[in-house]
Every structure is written in C-alpha cells, then in structure tokens.
Amino acid sequence: MSPGEAYIHLSKLLEQVNAVIGSFFQGERMEEDLQWRERVEERVNAAAARDQEKAERRAVQPMNGTSEEEDESVNVRSTNGDFEEKDDEDLYFAPENNNVIFSSAIDGWAFTVRQFAALYEKKLGLKRAVLEKVLWGDFYLDPKTKRVLAQKHLKGRALKPMFVQLVLENIWAVYEATVGGTRGKGDPAMIDKITKSLSITIPSHILRSRDPRAILIALFAAWLPLSTALLVSVIEHLPSPPVAQADRLPAMLEASPGADHIEPRIREAMVGFKTSKEDPIVAYVSKMVAVPESELPENKRRGGSSLSAEEARDMARKKRAEIAKAQAATNEGSSNGVAGVANTLESMSIDGDDTDKSKDWKEQKEDQEHLIGFARLYSGTLAVGDSVYVLPPKFSPANHHAHPEPQKVIITALYLLMGRGLEPLTSVPAGVVFGVAGLEGHILKSGTLCSQLQGSVNLAGISMGSQPIVRVALEPVNPGDLGKMVKGLQLLEQSDPCAEYEVLESGEHVILTAGELHLERCLKDLRERFAKCEIQAGEPIVPYRESIVSAEEMAPAKDKDLSRGTVMGVTTSKQITVRVRVRPLPTTVTEFLGKNAGAIKRLYSETKAEEEGTTADSEDRDDTGTYDGIGDSRGLGVGALTLADFKRELVAAFEEAKGEKEIWHDVIDKIAAFGPRRVGPNLLIDATDTRTCQRLLRETQELEKDGKNSQDAQQSLPNTLTARDFSDKISYAFQLATAQGPLCNEPMQGVAVFLEEITVAAPSDEESSAREKLGRLTGEVIKTVRDSIRQGFLDWSPRLLLAMYSCEIQASTEVLGRVYGVITRRRGRILSESLKEGTPFFTILSVLPVAESFGFSDEIRKRTSGAASPQLIFQGFEMLDEDPFWVPFTEDELEDLGELADRENVAKRYMDRVRVRKGLVVRGRKLVKDAEKQKTLKR
C-alpha cells in the first residue's frame, strides 16, 4: 500500500466512524424532540383543564380578575418554551481538532497532527495553529512558493496532499530504510541520513544488530514514541482528577451498597477532592498484581550486577568456612589415599557445586512472589505505616459489623508504578494511581481501604438485582486436592460479590454464579489462583419450581368419595388419622407472597420472640431462605409492612381471585405457616374446628388466649394425647413437603394445604405415658402428612415453573431473522421489537429459559458474525403450561398421536433430567434398547 492509498483508507475509515456516531446522535435528538413535544402537550392540556375549571368556578361565584390574569400569563410562558438544539461538532473525530491518534501498536509509534505541526513550524515558516488545520484534508503545498493551496487552486497540477507529502512519506521512508530493500535488511546509509535529519541517536549495539525490526523499533521510539502521544492526548482531552471526581463520584456513591448510611464527612471529602492528612482516607484497590521479589525496589541492586560490600563480605566468610571444613576433612581422610583426596577436592570446589547451590538459591528466591495492590486514592493522604480498614466486596455500611468483619492492616510500602518498574514512595495524595503493599491475605481481588469503619463507603461492591441462578457441582481431578478446592472456593466467595458457595446434603460442593460467562471466569480463577489445582465441573444445575393448576383435561380424582385434592392419611400404627386438602393458590396471592418474603420473615421472627419472651431480631439467621438459595431479592429486602398492612394487602389479593371468593373467605386468620423454609409462597391453613395449629397472623391477645386454652386442656388431661400435641409435627411435615415436591424434589410454589381434621385414637390398654406415645408417633405423623400433601398435589394437574432470563439484544435488519431463529430454537419468546429512531438498529426484548441459555451468547455471535450480542438478566420463574404426566387418552388424541404420544413432552424431559441428576426413579426410561443387536465382549 502506497502513502496515497493509506491516506484514502484512513479518510474512509474516519468517515465511517463519524457516520455511526452521527446516527446515534440523530436518534438521541429525535427521542429528545419527542419527549419535549409530549411535555409541551401535557402542559397545554393541563392549562386547558385549569382554564375550564376556572370558568366553571367563575360561573358559580365571582373570581379575582388579577390573579386569573397572572395565572394565565404563567401558563403561556410555561408552554412557549422552544426546543433547545445541541451542537454535535465536538462528537466527531477530526485530525485537525487533534482528537485522532495515528499509531502502530506492533511497531511502537504514534503521533498526532499537532506533533508534526511543531516539527514543520520553523521549516515552512508557518504558524503551528495554521499547520494543524491544513495538515489533514484537501490541502496541498506548492513546492515553489511554499504556500498552502486548497483543491480549487490546483489548476490541474498533480500535487499530493500535505498529510501524504509531509507525514506518510517520511514514515514509509523509515520502513524502507530499516526493513525494506531487496533482502529486507534495509539501507544503512539511508538510516544514517534519517537519524541526522531528525537529530536523533540510536545506540551502536542496535545499529550492529542483525535484526532489522530492532532498528525499526528503536528509531520510531526515539522519533515518535507511542507513550508520548498517548499521554499528551490524555492530558489534553480527559478531565483532571478533581474535575472527574466532582462529576462522577456522586453517581458512584449512590450506586454503592448502603449508600444512605455513608457518613457525610466521607462523601464531602471524596467529591471535594480533599487531600489533607486530617481528611478521611478512601482508596479503591481494583486488583492484586503478583510481583517477583527480585523486582521490588528494596531488593534491587543499585550498582547493576556487582555485589554490595556486605554481600561480598558474607560470601568471603562462607568461602573461608568451606575451605576450613575441607582441610579438616583432608586431615581425617589422609589414610584413605586417593579416595580421601578426591573427596577433599570435591568439597573444595569453589566454582562448581557452590555455584550451582547459589543458582538454586537465586532461582528459589526469584520464584517467591509478592502481591501488590493496584489502587487509586480518592481522598486524604496515605502514608507508609498508616492503619486502615480493608472492606471486602460484600461489606455494607448499614451493618458494618456483619460477617466477615473488616480487618485493620498497616501499610508497609507504597510504590509509584512506572511501567513494569516500581519506585518507592513515603506518602500518596488523593488522585494518584499507586501500588500498595501489606494487603496480602486481606484482599483477594478487589476491595476498599478506609480510615474509619462506621459510615465508610464500599467502592468494590455490586448492587445485584437478583441472586445467582446457575449452580454447578465441582470436584478435583485428583481426590487428594479436595482440601485445596474447598479452601479456594471459600476464598472465591470472599473475593467475588456475585459468587456463592454451598455444600449440599448429598456432599456435593456447589458454586452459584450469575451466568455462563461468570461461571467460566470463576472456574479460571479457581484453577489458576485460589485452589491452584485441576478442577472439573459438572453440568449446570438449573432450579425449577413445582405447582398445580386446575386444567380442563385433568384425570378424574383418585378418591371418588372425596373432593379433588383431599387425602385421608393414616399412620402405620393406625392411631392417628389426618385429612388434608390441597388446592392451587390464586396467582395474585402467589405473586404477593413472593414479593413480601422479607415481611413474612419479620412477622415470623416477631411471633417467635413473643413466644420466647425476647426481642425480635430482623437479622435472624434461621434457615428461612429459599430452598435452593435462589430467591427474589426484592422480597427479601422488603420488611416494612406491619401485620395489619400485610393482612389488608393479602385480603385484597385473595379478593382478586375470580370465582373462588367463597373458598378463600375468612382464610387469613387460619394461616398456620408459610413454606418452604417459613417464607415461601405456600400456605398451611388450619381448617379444623379445634384450632389444632397456632394461627400465625392472629393478634397478640388472641395468641395468648389460644395458648391459655391449650395449657388448660393439657392440665385437664395430663396423660392423654390431643391433636394439639402434633401441631409442630404437622408444620414441619408441611415444610418438608413444600421444599421437595413430588415431581423432581424441587420447591413448590402457589399451593395451599388445608388441614381439615386430625383424629387421635390411642388404645386404652397401653400403660405408657403420653410423652412416650408422642415420641413414638412423631416420625409416623411427619411421614403421613408429607405423603398426604404429595398425593393431594398429584390429584391436580401438575406444572413445572422454569427459571427465565430477560434477554435484550440490539441487532440490525440484516441479522434480525437469524436472531429470531436462535431464540425460537431455544424455546424463547419475543416480547417486543422496537426500532431505535434515526438508526438501523432494532431492540429486541425476549425471555429465555435458563436451562436453554448455555451456549446462547456464542451461538448468537456465530450466527450473526458478531453483529448482535445478548444481555441476560434473571427475571424470575414462569410456568410451562404442559403436564409432565400427560398421555393421550381421548379418541382424537389417540388417533392423531398414537398410544406412545409421538409429540415430545417438554415438561417431562425437564423433569426426567432433574430426576436423573438427583438419582431418582425415572418412569418409562428404557435402560436397554434393541438388546438383540448388542454385542458382548466374548464375541
């Protein structure tokens, strides 16, 4: 490519980039214009409504004319605001504005138009400001008059643009002189001429080098260094630290965890860029960099490779000790003849073994690495020896003593980062990017340093909109590395605010991540940094929910004498009979309970505190989280509803249920428990006449009355078992049943369990006490109630609820069809498609099952050649409207699909996949197919 062709290519590239920027600006302006018109229309309508109201009031009673005229003038002024036009000149890239850097990263050179304007200022006799405007574009230099000509003044002469003549041809000449020529070795005479004309010097050992690229890089580094052009452009165009902090920090502080609890003194110091030693110290450590011990400034030798005086004396002392030891060995082994002399010579070897030992010692010393924090100071002055708190990524100033509690560390060293080198510092003011030592073992990835704990700010935290959704079981390749993996998982959980680690009841070590890409990053960190061992990951574990609906084509009830969902359960000993009825909850009630899990948790803790006579703890660490560690973050954060407000809103949710008001009438006061884990969207309703279970949403006085009645009943019949004795067992069985549904042992959702009757028929001939009877019957009652709830669940039409991602994709019209094809193939659903005004890009909103999302991003990029990239956010659970146990039974279905149901049952496929992973029995699964075609090892 010639310099002229390169100039044309660069011009077209700039035009394309500016065209894209212009399209974005045009779309933004059209959107602002639309919003402005809507605001004007709203103001006009509001003014018209006010005028009509005034006219009506004027007809009823006289009004003050002066005030009316003033109001009308205000309305006129407010509606006559003109649309403000914005200038887009500063948005575009133009070399004459010095906002374009021409560079080659592989060869290490870069420049701006301003640099060459400074070079040619004296030579051409033109002002630098003029040269900056004419070095790029259709401007030409007359070689005779040394005047700058525009294209219209060329008069047919074939002149080259000034950028080609003065800039690109010189760069091409450097390439030709260094790596050009017939054999690609350049021209030494031309190199000498270029260095003299540019007044630069190249070291002689580089000129004698046989590698032409070494000469090329050295010449460009002396003439057009990349670092100089980049640093000058950063200084000219980017805001200084005080200006940048005042502009950006308020939004960053508001987005940090616990922003409302940040102390105003810290907020003012960070926004105001205060640098005195009395101001609070706040620094953000973005990462920890491993630096070899030999690269630290305190371990570097000042005199190059020569030894210091102390090192020389230490080595001489060791040599004298070795010689003395060798002489002693010679005297002892003189009787051994040749063997003794050989051993003596071997031990006296100065340049042999001792050199090898010193090399091994040096290598061992160089292998040791120290972690240096890459940090940025926002306020105050940090000095060596200062004590600061290290705030982990999950820290919140709202509860600054929560586990893990921040630790206080002493800063041992501060460094100025000069490329790959480190320069020691004694103190660092605000606004400086620096290296800090002394944080090893306290910060794993990122963190915040603060001089005080109460009211501090967490800059390393992430405010998550939802909990991690993707779970993966991990195991080490070598079973002996299990301890390393567990320790690495604990370190990963501390360092990554989006990752969680748990051990399942089956013994599996599971990591919870936000998505597929986050999972890959966590596994990479585990293998290379935290665990430092080979780890293999299983298939992703995706959560599901189980629910029931009343469908039209349901199988008949299993017991014709009882209503649908009603089950009579009898214990093994035939002493206790329990009748429960299972019904689906209205959708409005299920959504309300899911959103107010925090309020349910607080109400439960208050009830428990009243029973025990203690104060309620809002941070109760009882196992009230969702079963699989995945819940609604909004629900867990809501705890402001009082008991009266909660009951009122729950009644309103029940009243919205159409056609079922009689069933749910007066059911609020009969609620005995929520499940699973006491906060889930399932209800245990005590419909017995004797009030067997304690009512959870009753007032305090009614609870005390129920408690006194139960105590009186126990005192009147001390040796007799009653239904109230099994209330806690029934509640526990309800929690177990809702935590593991009958489909695939996943949590239930939207299920109401009515406890209608419990009968105790203990034989009278037993001589054992009531307490002994209760102990024997506890397990039987729990098992019977749990199995009864599961049977009642299966009496309805069961459904699976899939975890769903909200997917947003921006794509052009050329790849729109391919995006739709990928989403449809993965059982996604398009919600909306909107064209961004002024641009050829569509914004596609869709939902996608989490179970089908693995590899989705890669497939989208491959199908669209990188033109579309999705953004996935966990949205919640959505019901898959398909019965996993459905089989064709009507004549039409049997005729269309046959007895084997040729249509795939997607719900059954999901259910069977989970049952296989959990080791449960899978119905209809063929272990052996076409056995007559299989071969044995003997044949």
Side-chain angles (χ1 to χ4, degrees):
M1 182 183 292
S2 65
E5 295 172 346
Y7 172 73
I8 296 173
H9 175 71
L10 291 173
S11 301
K12 291 182 178 180
L13 183 63
L14 280 174
E15 289 176 1
Q16 293 172 1
V17 172
N18 289 331
V20 174
I21 295 176
S23 64
F24 285 128
F25 176 78
Q26 183 181 1
E28 182 180 352
R29 296 302 294 158
M30 293 180 67
E31 185 176 356
E32 291 178 357
D33 179 65
L34 179 62
Q35 294 175 356
W36 175 80
R37 294 180 184 277
E38 291 176 352
R39 288 196 300 266
V40 170
E41 186 177 355
E42 290 176 359
R43 291 175 182 175
V44 171
N45 294 336
R50 283 195 296 268
D51 293 342
Q52 184 178 1
E53 184 180 356
K54 289 176 184 177
E56 293 175 356
R57 283 187 295 179
R58 191 182 299 113
V60 176
Q61 64 183 24
M63 297 289 293
N64 190 343
T66 306
S67 61
E68 291 178 8
E69 292 177 359
E70 291 177 355
D71 292 342
E72 290 177 1
S73 63
V74 171
N75 291 335
V76 171
R77 286 196 302 268
S78 63
T79 55
N80 287 338
D82 295 332
F83 181 67
E84 297 180 0
E85 293 290 344
K86 292 184 179 179
D87 187 12
D88 61 341
E89 184 179 356
D90 296 336
L91 295 177
Y92 301 112
F93 293 100
E96 59 268 19
N97 295 335
N98 206 41
N99 59 3
V100 177
I101 301 176
F102 302 90
S103 67
S104 171
I106 193 171
D107 294 330
W109 57 265
F111 66 90
T112 60
V113 169
R114 181 169 296 177
Q115 287 180 259
F116 271 92
L119 291 175
Y120 288 106
E121 180 182 10
K122 295 181 180 179
K123 188 174 183 180
L124 297 178
L126 298 175
K127 293 183 179 180
R128 183 184 300 185
V130 176
L131 278 176
E132 290 178 7
K133 299 298 181 182
V134 299
L135 265 181
W136 177 267
D138 295 331
F139 296 98
Y140 305 87
L141 181 65
D142 191 344
K144 297 181 179 179
T145 61
K146 301 295 182 181
R147 294 180 59 187
V148 178
L149 304 176
Q151 189 173 12
K152 60 182 179 180
H153 298 116
L154 289 180
K155 297 179 181 180
R157 289 184 294 177
L159 298 180
K160 299 177 182 178
M162 292 184 64
F163 191 80
V164 175
Q165 183 179 359
L166 302 180
V167 180
L168 294 183
E169 287 187 351
N170 291 329
I171 294 176
W172 257 249
V174 172
Y175 275 100
E176 183 68 22
T178 53
V179 295
T182 55
R183 298 183 180 180
K185 295 185 178 180
D187 187 359
M190 182 65 72
I191 294 175
D192 185 53
K193 183 179 179 180
I194 291 174
T195 53
K196 289 181 179 179
S197 62
L198 296 175
S199 301
I200 58 176
T201 57
I202 300 177
S204 56
H205 68 278
I206 294 179
L207 290 173
R208 293 193 300 266
S209 174
R210 295 183 179 180
D211 185 9
R213 284 193 53 80
I215 303 175
L216 173 70
I217 293 174
L219 200 154
F220 274 124
W223 179 33
L224 301 173
L226 187 147
S227 57
T228 301
L230 187 61
L231 184 59
V232 170
S233 298
V234 166
I235 294 173
E236 290 179 351
H237 294 90
L238 296 184
S240 62
V243 177
Q245 284 191 199
D247 184 33
R248 300 172 183 171
L249 268 183
M252 292 174 58
L253 294 178
E254 290 299 326
S256 64
D260 297 335
H261 299 273
I262 299 175
E263 186 176 333
R265 179 167 170 262
I266 293 180
R267 191 186 295 266
E268 292 174 1
M270 295 179 67
V271 176
F273 197 77
K274 297 183 179 180
T275 60
S276 65
K277 294 184 178 180
E278 290 76 16
D279 293 316
I281 299 171
V282 179
Y284 170 60
V285 182
S286 62
K287 62 179 178 179
M288 300 294 289
V289 183
V291 178
E293 188 175 4
S294 60
E295 296 293 331
L296 296 177
E298 54 267 25
N299 296 330
K300 282 189 175 182
R301 293 171 179 169
R302 300 279 192 292
S305 60
S306 60
L307 298 176
S308 63
E310 293 182 0
E311 291 175 340
R313 284 193 293 268
D314 188 22
M315 184 173 290
R317 193 180 302 112
K318 290 181 180 180
K319 295 301 180 185
R320 287 195 296 269
E322 290 288 339
I323 293 173
K325 185 177 179 181
Q327 290 178 353
T330 303
N331 295 332
E332 292 178 359
S334 58
S335 60
N336 296 333
V338 179
V341 175
N343 293 333
T344 302
L345 292 174
E346 185 178 357
S347 63
M348 289 181 63
S349 176
I350 296 177
D351 297 329
D353 293 346
D354 189 68
T355 305
D356 295 337
K357 290 179 182 179
S358 63
K359 288 182 179 179
D360 295 340
W361 178 76
K362 289 180 180 179
E363 291 177 0
Q364 182 179 0
K365 186 176 180 181
E366 289 177 358
D367 289 339
Q368 297 179 359
E369 291 188 347
H370 293 266
L371 293 177
I372 303 298
F374 185 77
R376 205 265 199 196
L377 191 62
Y378 287 93
S379 66
T381 299
L382 185 64
V384 176
D386 288 349
S387 297
V388 293
Y389 287 97
V390 177
L391 310 182
K394 297 183 181 180
F395 171 83
S396 176
N399 189 8
H400 53 272
H401 289 295
H403 180 78
E405 190 168 352
Q407 299 178 355
K408 204 168 188 178
V409 300
I410 298 177
I411 304 300
T412 57
L414 297 172
Y415 303 105
L416 179 64
L417 306 175
M418 299 291 291
R420 296 182 60 184
L422 301 174
E423 296 294 333
L425 299 172
T426 56
S427 63
V428 173
V432 176
V433 177
F434 62 98
V436 55
L439 306 178
E440 192 168 354
H442 300 282
I443 292 182
L444 299 171
K445 260 190 174 179
S446 61
T448 308
L449 305 180
C450 195
S451 56
Q452 65 185 55
L453 184 59
Q454 188 172 2
S456 54
V457 58
N458 181 13
L459 298 175
I462 296 178
S463 299
M464 298 174 57
S466 61
Q467 298 294 325
I469 189 68
V470 177
R471 298 185 297 164
V472 173
L474 306 178
E475 63 178 0
V477 175
N478 182 10
D481 295 333
L482 181 61
K484 292 182 179 179
M485 189 191 75
V486 172
K487 186 177 180 181
L489 285 170
Q490 294 172 351
L491 295 176
L492 176 66
E493 186 182 19
Q494 295 176 9
S495 64
D496 194 336
C498 297
E500 294 182 7
Y501 163 61
E502 64 179 13
V503 181
L504 301 183
E505 296 179 356
S506 60
E508 292 178 297
H509 298 272
V510 173
I511 181 175
L512 284 81
T513 59
E516 184 182 10
L517 185 62
H518 185 214
L519 173 63
E520 294 178 2
R521 183 64 191 174
C522 290
L523 292 177
K524 185 175 184 295
D525 289 341
L526 270 177
R527 294 188 181 106
E528 298 180 358
R529 184 164 188 178
F530 298 125
K532 294 184 178 179
C533 64
E534 288 297 324
I535 296 175
Q536 58 185 8
E539 293 186 1
I541 305 172
V542 179
Y544 295 89
R545 294 289 185 268
E546 301 180 15
S547 186
I548 52 177
V549 296
S550 177
E552 296 180 356
E553 299 179 354
M554 286 191 299
K558 296 180 181 178
D559 194 340
K560 298 181 180 179
D561 298 333
L562 301 174
S563 60
R564 184 179 293 277
T566 304
V567 179
M568 295 289 294
V570 183
T571 60
T572 309
S573 61
K574 310 295 183 181
Q575 297 183 19
I576 299 176
T577 304
V578 180
R579 185 175 71 181
V580 297
R581 179 163 53 94
V582 179
R583 286 193 63 86
L585 274 175
T587 306
T588 54
V589 178
T590 305
E591 294 177 355
F592 173 78
L593 295 178
K595 293 178 180 178
N596 293 275
I600 299 173
K601 179 179 178 180
R602 189 177 61 83
L603 293 174
Y604 172 78
S605 63
E606 290 178 355
T607 305
K608 185 177 179 182
E610 290 176 1
E611 293 177 357
E612 299 176 354
T614 59
T615 58
D617 185 8
S618 61
E619 296 296 332
D620 186 12
R621 290 192 176 273
D622 195 12
D623 53 350
T624 54
T626 50
Y627 181 72
D628 50 8
I630 299 165
D632 192 345
S633 60
R634 299 172 298 173
L636 293 177
V638 175
L641 288 179
T642 61
L643 177 59
D645 295 338
F646 182 81
K647 290 176 64 176
R648 184 176 62 256
E649 295 187 14
L650 185 58
V651 169
F654 273 114
E655 289 178 352
E656 293 181 11
K658 297 180 180 179
E660 298 181 349
K661 293 184 179 180
E662 296 180 359
I663 300 173
W664 307 109
H665 176 67
D666 199 21
V667 80
I668 304 296
D669 295 332
K670 298 179 182 180
I671 295 176
F674 298 88
R677 300 296 179 92
R678 304 187 183 95
V679 295
N682 303 288
L683 297 180
L684 174 62
I685 300 169
D686 183 9
T688 58
D689 298 332
T690 58
R691 295 185 179 182
T692 303
C693 299
Q694 183 180 2
R695 312 298 171 85
L696 189 62
L697 299 182
R698 301 292 289 272
E699 300 296 338
T700 306
Q701 296 178 357
E702 297 179 359
L703 289 173
E704 293 177 355
K705 184 178 180 181
D706 291 344
K708 289 181 180 179
N709 293 336
S710 63
Q711 291 178 3
D712 295 340
Q714 291 178 0
Q715 291 176 1
S716 62
L717 298 172
N719 200 29
T720 304
L721 286 178
T722 62
R724 287 179 178 268
D725 295 328
F726 299 98
S727 61
D728 56 340
K729 285 75 180 175
I730 295 173
S731 177
Y732 182 71
F734 168 74
Q735 302 295 338
L736 290 179
T738 53
Q740 293 184 345
L743 297 182
C744 50
N745 282 5
E746 291 290 323
M748 293 184 186
Q749 178 172 315
V751 177
V753 179
F754 290 82
L755 178 64
E756 295 185 339
E757 184 182 359
I758 176 169
T759 306
V760 180
S764 59
D765 57 348
E766 290 188 3
E767 298 180 355
S768 58
S769 63
R771 183 60 54 190
E772 293 176 355
K773 297 177 185 177
L774 182 63
R776 291 198 302 266
L777 295 174
T778 296
E780 295 183 10
V781 172
I782 293 175
K783 181 178 181 298
T784 302
V785 175
R786 184 194 63 184
D787 294 344
S788 300
I789 294 174
R790 289 188 170 188
Q791 292 176 17
F793 182 96
L794 294 176
D795 210 8
W796 297 85
S797 182
R799 293 290 187 271
L800 274 180
L801 279 80
L802 308 181
M804 304 296 287
Y805 275 136
S806 172
C807 177
E808 180 179 351
I809 304 175
Q810 284 192 350
S812 59
T813 53
E814 290 82 4
V815 298
L816 205 59
R818 302 174 190 174
V819 172
Y820 280 8
V822 175
I823 294 176
T824 307
R825 194 181 307 114
R826 291 178 175 267
R827 302 190 59 81
R829 190 175 74 257
I830 306 296
L831 298 180
S832 66
E833 170 196 315
S834 58
L835 176 65
K836 192 170 183 180
E837 295 294 337
T839 67
F841 296 101
F842 284 86
T843 300
I844 305 166
L845 295 179
S846 62
V847 290
L848 185 75
V850 176
E852 305 288 346
S853 65
F854 302 102
F856 174 71
S857 300
D858 293 339
E859 186 177 0
I860 281 281
R861 295 188 186 98
K862 289 179 181 178
R863 296 286 182 181
T864 62
S865 301
S869 181
Q871 183 180 6
L872 302 176
I873 301 174
F874 177 62
Q875 186 182 32
F877 291 90
E878 184 176 304
M879 183 175 292
L880 178 61
D881 194 13
E882 191 172 358
D883 191 342
F885 299 117
W886 179 86
V887 290
F889 60 92
T890 63
E891 294 183 0
D892 296 338
E893 291 174 348
L894 289 172
E895 183 178 354
D896 293 341
L897 303 174
E899 295 182 358
L900 298 177
D902 296 336
R903 186 181 65 184
E904 182 188 18
N905 191 329
V906 180
K908 187 176 187 307
R909 173 162 59 87
Y910 287 141
M911 183 185 70
D912 291 346
R913 186 187 302 173
V914 178
R915 294 185 71 90
V916 169
R917 176 173 58 82
K918 294 185 176 182
L920 304 175
V921 178
V922 180
R923 296 181 183 179
R925 184 186 181 193
K926 290 186 178 181
L927 299 178
V928 178
K929 187 177 181 180
D930 297 333
E932 67 277 2
K933 295 182 180 180
Q934 295 181 357
K935 296 181 180 180
T936 61
L937 295 175
K938 293 182 180 180
R939 296 180 184 176

